[in-house]
Short mmCIF file of all heavy atoms in Angstrom, two decimals:
data_model
loop_
_atom_site.label_atom_id
_atom_site.label_comp_id
_atom_site.label_asym_id
_atom_site.label_seq_id
_atom_site.Cartn_x
_atom_site.Cartn_y
_atom_site.Cartn_z
N LEU A 1 10.44 13.79 20.19
CA LEU A 1 9.12 13.18 20.36
C LEU A 1 8.37 13.06 19.03
O LEU A 1 7.63 12.09 18.81
CB LEU A 1 8.29 14.01 21.35
CG LEU A 1 8.74 13.95 22.82
CD1 LEU A 1 7.87 14.86 23.67
CD2 LEU A 1 8.69 12.51 23.34
N SER A 2 8.56 14.03 18.14
CA SER A 2 7.90 13.95 16.84
C SER A 2 8.49 12.87 15.96
O SER A 2 7.80 12.27 15.12
CB SER A 2 7.98 15.31 16.12
OG SER A 2 9.34 15.67 15.90
N LEU A 3 9.79 12.59 16.11
CA LEU A 3 10.45 11.57 15.31
C LEU A 3 10.47 10.21 15.99
O LEU A 3 10.83 9.21 15.34
CB LEU A 3 11.88 11.99 15.00
CG LEU A 3 12.05 13.27 14.16
CD1 LEU A 3 13.53 13.61 14.01
CD2 LEU A 3 11.40 13.11 12.79
N ALA A 4 10.12 10.15 17.27
CA ALA A 4 10.22 8.90 18.02
C ALA A 4 9.39 7.76 17.41
O ALA A 4 9.89 6.64 17.31
CB ALA A 4 9.83 9.13 19.48
N PRO A 5 8.12 7.98 17.00
CA PRO A 5 7.38 6.84 16.42
C PRO A 5 8.05 6.26 15.19
O PRO A 5 8.11 5.03 15.03
CB PRO A 5 6.02 7.47 16.09
CG PRO A 5 5.89 8.63 17.00
CD PRO A 5 7.27 9.17 17.16
N ALA A 6 8.56 7.13 14.29
CA ALA A 6 9.21 6.62 13.09
C ALA A 6 10.49 5.87 13.44
O ALA A 6 10.77 4.80 12.89
CB ALA A 6 9.53 7.78 12.13
N ILE A 7 11.28 6.42 14.37
CA ILE A 7 12.51 5.74 14.77
C ILE A 7 12.19 4.40 15.43
O ILE A 7 12.86 3.39 15.18
CB ILE A 7 13.31 6.65 15.73
CG1 ILE A 7 13.75 7.93 15.00
CG2 ILE A 7 14.54 5.92 16.27
CD1 ILE A 7 14.42 8.94 15.91
N LEU A 8 11.16 4.38 16.25
CA LEU A 8 10.79 3.15 16.95
C LEU A 8 10.36 2.07 15.96
O LEU A 8 10.68 0.89 16.14
CB LEU A 8 9.67 3.43 17.95
CG LEU A 8 9.28 2.29 18.89
CD1 LEU A 8 10.46 1.91 19.76
CD2 LEU A 8 8.10 2.69 19.75
N LEU A 9 9.65 2.45 14.91
CA LEU A 9 9.20 1.47 13.93
C LEU A 9 10.36 0.97 13.06
O LEU A 9 10.37 -0.17 12.64
CB LEU A 9 8.12 2.08 13.04
CG LEU A 9 6.78 2.38 13.71
CD1 LEU A 9 5.83 3.04 12.72
CD2 LEU A 9 6.16 1.11 14.27
N MET A 10 11.34 1.82 12.82
CA MET A 10 12.43 1.44 11.94
C MET A 10 13.40 0.45 12.58
O MET A 10 14.15 -0.22 11.88
CB MET A 10 13.20 2.68 11.48
CG MET A 10 12.41 3.60 10.56
SD MET A 10 11.80 2.79 9.06
CE MET A 10 10.07 2.54 9.46
N VAL A 11 13.42 0.36 13.89
CA VAL A 11 14.33 -0.59 14.57
C VAL A 11 13.58 -1.83 15.03
O VAL A 11 14.09 -2.58 15.86
CB VAL A 11 15.03 0.09 15.77
CG1 VAL A 11 15.89 1.25 15.31
CG2 VAL A 11 14.01 0.56 16.81
N THR A 12 12.40 -2.05 14.48
CA THR A 12 11.60 -3.23 14.82
C THR A 12 11.32 -4.02 13.54
O THR A 12 11.87 -3.73 12.48
CB THR A 12 10.28 -2.82 15.50
OG1 THR A 12 9.51 -2.02 14.59
CG2 THR A 12 10.54 -2.03 16.77
N SER A 13 10.44 -4.98 13.65
CA SER A 13 10.09 -5.81 12.50
C SER A 13 9.03 -5.18 11.61
O SER A 13 8.58 -5.81 10.65
CB SER A 13 9.56 -7.17 13.01
OG SER A 13 8.42 -6.98 13.84
N PHE A 14 8.64 -3.96 11.88
CA PHE A 14 7.55 -3.32 11.15
C PHE A 14 7.87 -3.18 9.67
O PHE A 14 6.98 -3.37 8.82
CB PHE A 14 7.25 -1.95 11.75
CG PHE A 14 6.12 -1.21 11.08
CD1 PHE A 14 4.81 -1.52 11.36
CD2 PHE A 14 6.39 -0.21 10.15
CE1 PHE A 14 3.77 -0.85 10.73
CE2 PHE A 14 5.36 0.46 9.52
CZ PHE A 14 4.05 0.14 9.81
N THR A 15 9.10 -2.85 9.33
CA THR A 15 9.47 -2.64 7.93
C THR A 15 9.21 -3.89 7.10
O THR A 15 8.57 -3.83 6.03
CB THR A 15 10.95 -2.24 7.83
OG1 THR A 15 11.18 -1.06 8.59
CG2 THR A 15 11.34 -1.99 6.38
N ARG A 16 9.69 -5.04 7.56
CA ARG A 16 9.49 -6.27 6.81
C ARG A 16 8.01 -6.63 6.73
O ARG A 16 7.52 -7.03 5.65
CB ARG A 16 10.28 -7.41 7.45
CG ARG A 16 10.22 -8.70 6.66
CD ARG A 16 10.85 -9.86 7.41
NE ARG A 16 12.21 -9.59 7.85
CZ ARG A 16 12.99 -10.49 8.43
NH1 ARG A 16 12.52 -11.73 8.65
NH2 ARG A 16 14.21 -10.18 8.81
N VAL A 17 7.29 -6.50 7.82
CA VAL A 17 5.89 -6.92 7.85
C VAL A 17 5.04 -6.08 6.90
O VAL A 17 4.26 -6.62 6.10
CB VAL A 17 5.34 -6.84 9.29
CG1 VAL A 17 3.86 -7.17 9.31
CG2 VAL A 17 6.10 -7.79 10.20
N ILE A 18 5.19 -4.76 6.94
CA ILE A 18 4.35 -3.90 6.12
C ILE A 18 4.66 -4.07 4.65
O ILE A 18 3.76 -4.01 3.80
CB ILE A 18 4.51 -2.42 6.56
CG1 ILE A 18 3.44 -1.53 5.92
CG2 ILE A 18 5.89 -1.89 6.23
CD1 ILE A 18 2.07 -1.77 6.41
N ILE A 19 5.91 -4.32 4.30
CA ILE A 19 6.27 -4.51 2.89
C ILE A 19 5.72 -5.83 2.36
O ILE A 19 5.19 -5.91 1.25
CB ILE A 19 7.79 -4.42 2.71
CG1 ILE A 19 8.27 -2.99 2.97
CG2 ILE A 19 8.20 -4.85 1.30
CD1 ILE A 19 9.77 -2.81 2.88
N VAL A 20 5.84 -6.90 3.15
CA VAL A 20 5.32 -8.20 2.72
C VAL A 20 3.81 -8.14 2.53
O VAL A 20 3.27 -8.66 1.54
CB VAL A 20 5.72 -9.29 3.73
CG1 VAL A 20 5.01 -10.60 3.42
CG2 VAL A 20 7.23 -9.50 3.72
N LEU A 21 3.10 -7.52 3.47
CA LEU A 21 1.65 -7.40 3.32
C LEU A 21 1.28 -6.55 2.11
O LEU A 21 0.30 -6.82 1.42
CB LEU A 21 1.05 -6.79 4.59
CG LEU A 21 1.17 -7.63 5.86
CD1 LEU A 21 0.54 -6.91 7.04
CD2 LEU A 21 0.54 -9.02 5.68
N GLY A 22 2.08 -5.53 1.82
CA GLY A 22 1.85 -4.73 0.62
C GLY A 22 2.07 -5.53 -0.65
O GLY A 22 1.35 -5.36 -1.65
N PHE A 23 3.07 -6.42 -0.64
CA PHE A 23 3.31 -7.28 -1.79
C PHE A 23 2.11 -8.20 -2.05
O PHE A 23 1.74 -8.45 -3.20
CB PHE A 23 4.57 -8.12 -1.58
CG PHE A 23 5.80 -7.50 -2.18
CD1 PHE A 23 6.78 -6.96 -1.38
CD2 PHE A 23 5.98 -7.49 -3.55
CE1 PHE A 23 7.92 -6.40 -1.93
CE2 PHE A 23 7.11 -6.94 -4.11
CZ PHE A 23 8.09 -6.38 -3.31
N VAL A 24 1.52 -8.71 -0.98
CA VAL A 24 0.34 -9.57 -1.14
C VAL A 24 -0.79 -8.82 -1.81
O VAL A 24 -1.44 -9.31 -2.74
CB VAL A 24 -0.10 -10.12 0.24
CG1 VAL A 24 -1.41 -10.89 0.12
CG2 VAL A 24 0.97 -11.01 0.84
N GLN A 25 -1.02 -7.61 -1.36
CA GLN A 25 -2.11 -6.82 -1.91
C GLN A 25 -1.90 -6.53 -3.40
O GLN A 25 -2.83 -6.64 -4.21
CB GLN A 25 -2.23 -5.51 -1.13
CG GLN A 25 -3.42 -4.66 -1.50
CD GLN A 25 -3.46 -3.37 -0.69
OE1 GLN A 25 -2.42 -2.81 -0.35
NE2 GLN A 25 -4.65 -2.92 -0.36
N ARG A 26 -0.68 -6.20 -3.78
CA ARG A 26 -0.41 -5.87 -5.18
C ARG A 26 -0.28 -7.10 -6.06
O ARG A 26 -0.55 -7.05 -7.26
CB ARG A 26 0.86 -5.02 -5.26
CG ARG A 26 0.61 -3.59 -4.81
CD ARG A 26 1.89 -2.88 -4.42
NE ARG A 26 1.61 -1.52 -3.99
CZ ARG A 26 1.15 -1.19 -2.79
NH1 ARG A 26 0.91 -2.16 -1.90
NH2 ARG A 26 0.91 0.06 -2.46
N ALA A 27 0.15 -8.23 -5.49
CA ALA A 27 0.25 -9.46 -6.27
C ALA A 27 -1.13 -9.94 -6.70
O ALA A 27 -1.31 -10.41 -7.84
CB ALA A 27 0.97 -10.53 -5.47
#
C-alpha cells in the first residue's frame, strides 16, 4: 500500500507528462 501510488504512476503516462512540463518551466 505504501508503494502502490508510486507503482501506479510509473505504469501510466505520468512520467512523460511531468518531465515535459518540467522542461517547459526550465526552458
Side-chain angles (χ1 to χ4, degrees):
L1 290 178
S2 61
L3 297 176
I7 297 174
L8 187 62
L9 292 177
M10 292 303 103
V11 297
T12 61
S13 59
F14 181 80
T15 302
R16 185 188 306 185
V17 175
I18 192 68
I19 291 177
V20 171
L21 295 180
F23 265 108
V24 174
Q25 187 180 34
R26 285 160 180 79

